[in-house]
Amino acid sequence: METWTGYVERIVFRSEESGYSVIEIDVDGDERTLTGRLPDVDAGEYIEATGQVIVHKVYGEQMNVSSYTHRIPDDPILVAKYLGSGLIKGIGEALALRIVKRFGDDTIRVIEQEPERLAEVKGISMRTALIIGSQVAEKKDQRDAMMFLQQYGISPKLAKKIYDAYGDGIYTTIRENPYRMADDIFGVGFKTADEIAEKVGIRADSEFRIRSGIVYTLTIAEGNGHTCLPMEALIEEAAEMLAVTPEMVEEQVEDLVYDRRIVVRVKEEEETAEVRRFVYRAEIHRHETAAARKLLELDQVCGIDEEAYAARIAGFERARGVELDAAQREAVLAAVKHGVSILTGGPGTGKTTTIMIMLDLFEAEGLDILLAAPTGRAAKRMSEATGRDASTVHRMLELSGVPGDENRERMFFARNEDRPLEADVIIIDETSMVDIFLLSALMKAVPYGARLVFVGDVDQLPSVGPGNVLRDMIEADVFHVSRLSRIFRQSEGSDIVVNAHEINRGRHVDLRAKSRDFLFVERGEADRIISACITLVKEKLPGYVNADPYEIQVMTPMRAGNLGVERLNKIFQQYLNPPSGDKAEAVFGGRTLRVGDKIMQIKNDYQAEWEVRNRYGIAVDVGTGVFNGDMGIIRDINHFSEEIEVEFDEGRIVVYPFKNADQLEHAFAITIHKSQGSEYPAVVLPLLSGPAMLMTRNLLYTAVTRAKSCVCVVGSERMFMNMIDNVSEIRRFTGLREFLRLYSEPEEDPQEL
């Protein structure tokens, strides 16, 4: 182990997440390199570092730092260099030399203890002197605070956020109630606060801990799709998680209600007529109630001449060479008459044709129309089907990231109550994917007087985010709902459509029947199933459905296991995009990303910038936001700039710094949940075994309906039939349905507890 002491010349590289840095320092006139976790070291500072000195084959001699301390330089020349480095605002090189000339070896002591004496130097006023002293003190205070926080295992990036939020108050917060951080600072969760609290010595039955744990339990429930929990379930889950008694939890629930951090509502269960209490986080309760009220306010009924409209609809049918059935005509008329209407039906039931006639009718009246869907792929499908522009709901609402949000996970919409959408008609497709947060944002932006049409398949899987929006709106029975059931594509010989409806009705499908678009390959072992899937994707299906192998999607119910996403992606990468001398690659957390890999964005990044380029590489369209589930291809990996370039749907190019590589995962195989809103030329379903809670009818139905030209089931016929028989669904606890019913009754005045 060696020790180097010197002046920091420059920061060559720093990871904001881990604090890992490459730093050049001046040691007695000799430039040397330090590497390691040096998160709070800045250019211009004077440090003492201890570590192992190695000779790197490319970068030469460098020290892997194991420990370091900030020191105040004692040599007047180094003091002048330190002061004039730009670290302290208001002091340049010339002024630093004058300060050192005036105070010599006593310079640092004067600045820290008697900053007013700096006014003795020509060019420094008393005000400037005090500002300089304050900066030096703040630097020291921040450095001490960062070191204090890091002893509790807090990352440098998070430590800075905490210091920025509390300043010198962090010591009181950490020692008395670290759970405050979970409420005050985005990015600090209950788990982090709980770990700190344990190290500080806060008791497990602390009221601060129990309150924070209750809110955390509700947050976890939201991650599983719920917007609320029954009181008894909340108490049981929170007590188990916190390892305290249910009575302790129940007592703190009352205090949280008083503090307006949670809301308790009473409602009667339809199935049992039992009256139960449900608990919401206050924020999500506001979203559900506000969305319910706005939906009902928008649902104004217009008196129309139905015979005249029926004649006009018939004219558009003739012009397009189609014939709507009674349910479709009713849906078109409902969209004209009602401020809010819902169109639902399975695959092949004519939803798109119905929308086309709606568009013809509204356009003939000169109305401004907006078309949108929750995902880019769904919006692209809507645009291709209608021949009109369609966008994601996020883009329609003009999404932006929150400035300064280092986690890039917070957002706001420029379209809201103060700046509503400019439209007379808004049609939202794939509404089953809309969660309560997106519905709430949409409601804020829809202008009064506009017609709102929700389109979707209520039997699809619900949204990834909390809520069960489409089902709740339908079951509330307060809006006009048009249900399409006649299968039009059956006449086209589509076994995909026919079998999807059979699955949805709980009827077994004959997998061994000869079919052009619904195939079955029987295999009894995981490795043989994978081998068959590779052959299908790489050799058999591309020519059969006239598609690139990357357009054919392998989908599985699970992430882990022999046929889970994680294992399948490793194997498929080797067969579809093997290593090559002309393909750059990089390893992140044990995963190898390679140019040409098919990938998926796995978290919302509202600040990610994208651009669409023409053939000359010039940007012709730009925007922000990449979303969970977006799929693309890695086009470049640049080790010099440490960037990954990914091309997503519609030619959107996003450049990721290496530090954000954790936002990407391979997508040669994806979970069925991640396929929502997408359509693929062919879908390959490996099925062998799995937990009953995953292997359900609606999961199978969703998978089958993602295929446009061909479904190929590989594996166990028995598991396929078991999934059809398994009608169990994980129930989602939500409140939108009840709020719609309550607020639709003017005399009702529902009270919160």
Side-chain angles (χ1 to χ4, degrees):
M1 302 289 279
E2 293 189 28
T3 298
W4 292 348
T5 303
Y7 166 82
V8 179
E9 293 279 5
R10 70 189 185 100
I11 311 298
V12 178
F13 168 79
R14 171 165 291 148
S15 165
E16 294 297 328
E17 187 65 40
S18 66
Y20 178 83
S21 308
V22 179
I23 293 173
E24 290 183 356
I25 67 171
D26 181 341
V27 180
D28 298 328
D30 183 17
E31 188 176 275
R32 301 188 185 182
T33 302
L34 306 177
T35 64
R37 287 171 59 93
L38 304 151
D40 58 337
V41 175
D42 292 320
E45 293 188 321
Y46 195 68
I47 67 169
E48 180 179 280
T50 300
Q52 182 179 6
V53 177
I54 64 170
V55 179
H56 193 279
K57 62 181 180 180
V58 175
Y59 302 112
E61 186 181 71
Q62 56 185 226
M63 175 187 284
N64 291 338
V65 177
S66 56
S67 65
Y68 66 95
T69 58
H70 294 267
R71 290 187 53 185
I72 300 299
D74 49 16
D75 182 281
I77 295 175
L78 289 177
V79 170
K81 197 171 187 181
Y82 169 73
L83 294 176
S85 66
L87 194 65
I88 301 171
K89 293 178 181 178
I91 301 181
E93 293 181 13
L95 187 55
L97 288 170
R98 292 207 300 275
I99 293 172
V100 172
K101 185 177 180 180
R102 173 68 181 82
F103 299 110
D105 294 344
D106 206 25
T107 299
I108 295 298
R109 188 198 66 77
V110 168
I111 293 175
E112 289 185 346
Q113 299 178 18
E114 301 177 88
E116 68 277 2
R117 289 189 58 195
L118 291 173
E120 299 172 15
V121 178
K122 184 179 179 180
I124 300 180
S125 66
M126 181 59 71
R127 180 174 178 273
T128 302
L130 294 176
I131 290 173
I132 291 170
S134 174
Q135 284 188 64
V136 172
E138 185 180 343
K139 268 286 181 186
K140 184 177 185 302
D141 290 343
Q142 179 176 341
R143 192 159 54 235
D144 291 345
M146 296 279 282
M147 298 294 284
F148 171 77
L149 291 169
Q150 286 174 55
Q151 70 178 307
Y152 296 112
I154 298 173
S155 71
K157 182 178 179 181
L158 194 52
K160 185 176 186 307
K161 290 180 70 174
I162 295 171
Y163 180 78
D164 289 343
Y166 297 121
D168 292 340
I170 63 166
Y171 303 102
T172 302
T173 301
I174 293 291
R175 288 172 178 142
E176 293 183 1
N177 180 18
Y179 297 100
R180 270 189 63 193
M181 297 187 299
D183 297 326
D184 297 343
I185 303 171
F186 188 85
V188 179
F190 171 79
K191 289 291 188 183
T192 300
D194 204 34
E195 289 171 5
I196 295 170
E198 184 178 7
K199 292 175 182 176
V200 173
I202 291 177
R203 292 172 49 184
D205 61 355
S206 158
E207 64 180 36
F208 298 127
R209 179 173 186 264
I210 296 173
R211 289 183 191 180
S212 188
I214 292 168
V215 175
Y216 176 67
T217 302
L218 289 171
T219 303
I220 293 297
E222 290 167 21
N224 293 324
H226 308 291
T227 63
C228 58
L229 281 179
M231 178 70 79
E232 61 273 17
L234 171 65
I235 291 173
E236 180 182 346
E237 291 177 23
E240 182 178 353
M241 189 265 295
L242 295 166
V244 297
T245 66
E247 291 75 20
M248 291 177 179
V249 174
E250 190 166 11
E251 181 180 338
Q252 296 307 321
V253 166
E254 295 178 6
D255 288 340
L256 284 170
V257 171
Y258 181 79
D259 292 341
R260 295 190 177 278
R261 292 177 60 194
I262 64 174
V263 176
V264 179
R265 304 292 296 242
V266 175
K267 66 177 179 179
E268 182 179 295
E269 293 278 69
E270 283 190 353
E271 297 82 1
T272 62
E274 178 186 3
V275 176
R276 302 175 74 185
R277 292 183 297 166
F278 287 80
V279 188
Y280 303 73
R281 275 195 317 115
E283 179 192 6
I284 204 164
H285 180 264
R286 286 194 298 271
H287 283 298
E288 277 204 315
T289 54
R293 290 184 187 277
K294 182 65 178 285
L295 280 165
L296 292 168
E297 290 168 359
L298 290 169
D299 190 29
Q300 302 299 313
V301 180
C302 306
I304 64 170
D305 185 339
E306 293 198 17
E307 289 188 7
Y309 269 98
R312 296 174 67 188
I313 291 170
F316 290 122
E317 290 179 62
R318 289 192 295 272
R320 287 195 171 273
V322 299
E323 184 177 351
L324 303 184
D325 67 8
Q328 290 174 302
R329 292 193 189 96
E330 178 207 25
V332 177
L333 281 173
V336 176
K337 291 171 58 178
H338 297 270
V340 176
S341 61
I342 299 170
L343 173 63
T344 186
T349 55
K351 294 191 298 294
T352 299
T353 303
T354 307
I355 293 172
M356 293 295 297
I357 301 298
M358 284 184 194
L359 292 172
D360 290 342
L361 192 60
F362 289 135
E363 286 173 350
E365 294 183 352
L367 301 181
D368 292 325
I369 306 168
L370 290 176
L371 305 179
T375 67
R377 281 178 172 259
K380 183 180 180 182
R381 286 175 55 199
M382 192 179 193
S383 183
E384 291 171 346
T386 63
R388 275 85 164 179
D389 289 337
S391 72
T392 63
V393 179
H394 292 86
R395 194 170 190 194
M396 180 179 73
L397 298 178
E398 298 180 18
L399 169 125
S400 295
V402 174
D405 173 23
E406 295 177 353
N407 288 328
R408 307 163 72 91
E409 294 176 349
R410 286 184 289 172
M411 62 174 177
F412 71 92
F413 294 105
R415 294 289 183 174
N416 50 37
E417 307 97 320
D418 300 323
R419 189 167 168 261
L421 294 165
E422 298 170 7
D424 303 303
V425 179
I426 301 170
I427 301 177
I428 306 296
D429 199 9
E430 296 286 357
T431 307
S432 61
M433 299 179 65
V434 173
D435 65 22
I436 193 60
F437 296 125
L438 191 56
L439 178 69
S440 176
L442 176 64
M443 289 303 98
K444 292 176 182 177
V446 176
Y448 288 102
R451 294 182 178 92
L452 189 56
V453 182
F454 293 104
V455 183
D457 184 348
V458 73
D459 294 315
Q460 295 283 352
L461 291 170
S463 58
V464 174
N468 207 346
V469 167
L470 182 59
R471 185 176 295 277
D472 278 357
M473 288 195 299
I474 291 173
E475 292 184 354
D477 198 26
V478 296
F479 303 118
H480 189 284
V481 179
S482 300
R483 292 177 171 84
L484 306 184
S485 56
R486 177 184 171 189
I487 307 174
F488 288 91
R489 267 194 267 164
Q490 184 171 0
S491 59
E492 300 172 17
S494 171
D495 287 330
I496 296 175
V497 171
V498 173
N499 289 346
H501 284 273
E502 291 293 282
I503 290 167
N504 200 32
R505 296 182 185 116
R507 299 173 183 167
H508 284 198
V509 171
D510 184 2
L511 288 178
R512 299 178 186 277
K514 289 187 177 181
S515 173
R516 292 178 301 168
D517 59 9
F518 208 98
L519 314 176
F520 173 58
V521 178
E522 187 170 22
R523 295 289 186 273
E525 299 172 3
D527 287 347
R528 294 185 65 210
I529 290 173
I530 293 171
S531 178
C533 289
I534 291 169
T535 301
L536 285 165
V537 172
K538 193 175 180 182
E539 301 173 14
K540 302 291 186 181
L541 289 175
Y544 189 67
V545 297
N546 191 29
D548 185 270
Y550 274 29
E551 295 179 280
I552 297 164
Q553 190 59 59
V554 178
M555 300 193 318
T556 174
M558 300 162 291
R559 287 198 58 82
N562 287 334
L563 292 178
V565 163
E566 293 168 4
R567 182 172 186 241
L568 289 175
N569 273 316
K570 288 180 181 178
I571 295 172
F572 270 85
Q573 184 191 34
Q574 291 300 311
Y575 282 91
L576 295 183
N577 191 35
S580 171
D582 60 351
K583 293 179 183 176
E585 60 182 50
V587 179
F588 304 96
R591 297 176 304 121
T592 299
L593 296 182
R594 183 176 299 132
V595 170
D597 277 350
K598 182 179 179 181
I599 58 87
M600 174 182 284
Q601 175 82 9
I602 60 169
K603 63 183 289 190
N604 292 330
D605 185 338
Y606 301 111
Q607 295 186 31
E609 298 178 351
W610 55 261
E611 62 182 28
V612 177
R613 303 168 185 166
N614 63 17
R615 59 179 178 172
Y616 303 108
I618 299 172
V620 294
D621 190 14
V622 296
T624 58
V626 188
F627 305 104
N628 186 357
D630 284 355
M631 294 172 64
I633 306 292
I634 296 178
R635 296 303 185 193
D636 186 39
I637 297 177
N638 189 320
H639 284 273
F640 179 76
S641 63
E642 297 190 322
E643 292 176 332
I644 305 167
E645 186 175 283
V646 178
E647 181 178 351
F648 288 100
D649 292 333
E650 300 173 304
R652 294 176 299 137
I653 303 290
V654 178
V655 178
Y656 294 78
F658 277 6
K659 68 179 182 180
N660 290 346
D662 61 347
Q663 295 186 12
L664 305 174
E665 71 175 26
H666 289 109
F668 299 104
I670 64 173
T671 62
I672 295 170
H673 279 88
K674 291 286 190 180
S675 73
Q676 289 173 270
S678 299
E679 185 177 70
Y680 309 97
V683 164
V684 177
L685 294 175
L687 297 176
L688 184 60
S689 61
M693 63 182 294
L694 282 180
M695 314 301 279
T696 62
R697 180 188 299 174
N698 71 332
L699 195 77
L700 181 62
Y701 173 74
T702 298
V704 168
T705 55
R706 298 306 90 199
K708 184 177 181 180
S709 301
C710 185
V711 170
C712 191
V713 179
V714 184
S716 165
E717 181 179 17
R718 180 179 178 182
M719 176 50 66
F720 184 88
M721 301 306 172
N722 286 346
M723 290 181 75
I724 294 175
D725 294 336
N726 185 3
V727 296
S728 64
E729 293 182 41
I730 299 175
R731 179 183 175 185
R732 288 198 170 191
F733 295 109
T734 62
L736 182 62
R737 179 182 66 176
E738 280 68 33
F739 295 140
L740 286 168
R741 289 175 176 174
L742 284 169
Y743 300 148
S744 66
E745 299 294 335
E747 68 277 7
E748 289 287 349
D749 183 22
Q751 298 293 313
E752 300 171 14
L753 292 185

